[in-house]
Amino acid sequence: MIVDIGGGSTEIAVISLGGIVSNTSIRVAGDELTADIQEYMSRQHNMRVSERMAERIKIHVGSALADLGDEAPEDYTVYGPNRITALPMEVSVGYQEIAHCIDKTVAKIDAAVLSALEVTPPELYADIVKNGIWLSGGGALLRGLDRRLETKIGIPFHVAEDPLRSVALGAGIALKNINNFSFLMR
């Protein structure tokens, strides 16, 4: 089973014997997390931040867990205009407040993974529990996401070696070996 969290959507698929057994797609992913951060900064700190700055905040202090322990990143200083006066501001943002502001969106991804597991055939379900679920895409880089999902669902989660490029690399490998998948083309 693989969960690909991209920019605009999250794709969840169970793959067996070279074919897709079940798949689900939701319109919740990295872009919505970025929008959550923009809205939070406006509401909580009265600061306007661009989509690009919200993305930087997500990269530097984004987290799916409010307690990262020793892996906690340092606070990130954000510079931007006051929403009302347009005067320059400086705000220090920590991973815990970002974890709280994106919690509802991450919960939608949790629910989608559970929903996909519900429609997975029982004979494959045992393999998934044993081997775990793989995370790919830029959203897989969100700190603590694998631990959050593992705790909630009770199945091991693994982040792909190169989550940003893993889907493209896999498609390239499949195209190089297209003859091995010719039974799928019939």
Side-chain angles (χ1 to χ4, degrees), residues 16-166:
S16 179
L17 300 174
I20 297 172
V21 176
S22 67
N23 67 323
T24 306
S25 178
I26 60 169
R27 297 282 244 168
V28 174
D31 293 345
E32 192 164 332
L33 296 172
T34 302
D36 287 348
I37 293 169
Q38 276 184 287
E39 192 273 328
Y40 173 80
M41 293 299 290
S42 176
R43 183 177 31 86
Q44 190 67 29
H45 295 290
N46 215 19
M47 176 188 271
R48 267 188 313 131
V49 295
S50 65
E51 185 177 333
R52 195 173 190 180
M53 179 56 78
E55 183 74 21
R56 279 194 217 137
I57 294 168
K58 183 174 67 176
I59 290 167
H60 284 88
V61 290
S63 174
L65 294 173
D67 183 16
L68 290 175
D70 295 340
E71 299 172 23
E74 290 184 24
D75 289 357
Y76 184 65
T77 304
V78 181
Y79 302 95
N82 182 290
R83 207 168 44 111
I84 298 165
T85 66
L87 293 173
M89 293 178 64
E90 178 181 320
V91 174
S92 184
V93 182
Y95 80 92
Q96 292 170 322
E97 65 181 306
I98 299 302
H100 289 297
C101 94
I102 64 174
D103 185 61
K104 286 182 183 174
T105 301
V106 176
K108 291 176 187 175
I109 295 171
D110 295 348
V113 172
L114 282 170
S115 172
L117 283 168
E118 287 175 5
V119 297
T120 300
E123 59 274 10
L124 296 176
Y125 197 92
D127 289 340
I128 292 169
V129 170
K130 179 182 169 197
N131 299 320
I133 299 172
W134 289 88
L135 296 171
S136 71
L141 296 171
L142 187 64
R143 284 174 196 80
L145 181 62
D146 55 341
R147 284 191 286 153
R148 175 185 170 133
L149 290 167
E150 192 169 322
T151 301
K152 180 163 184 127
I153 297 171
I155 295 174
F157 276 78
H158 314 284
V159 177
E161 188 175 315
D162 186 0
L164 288 172
R165 299 181 327 142
S166 60

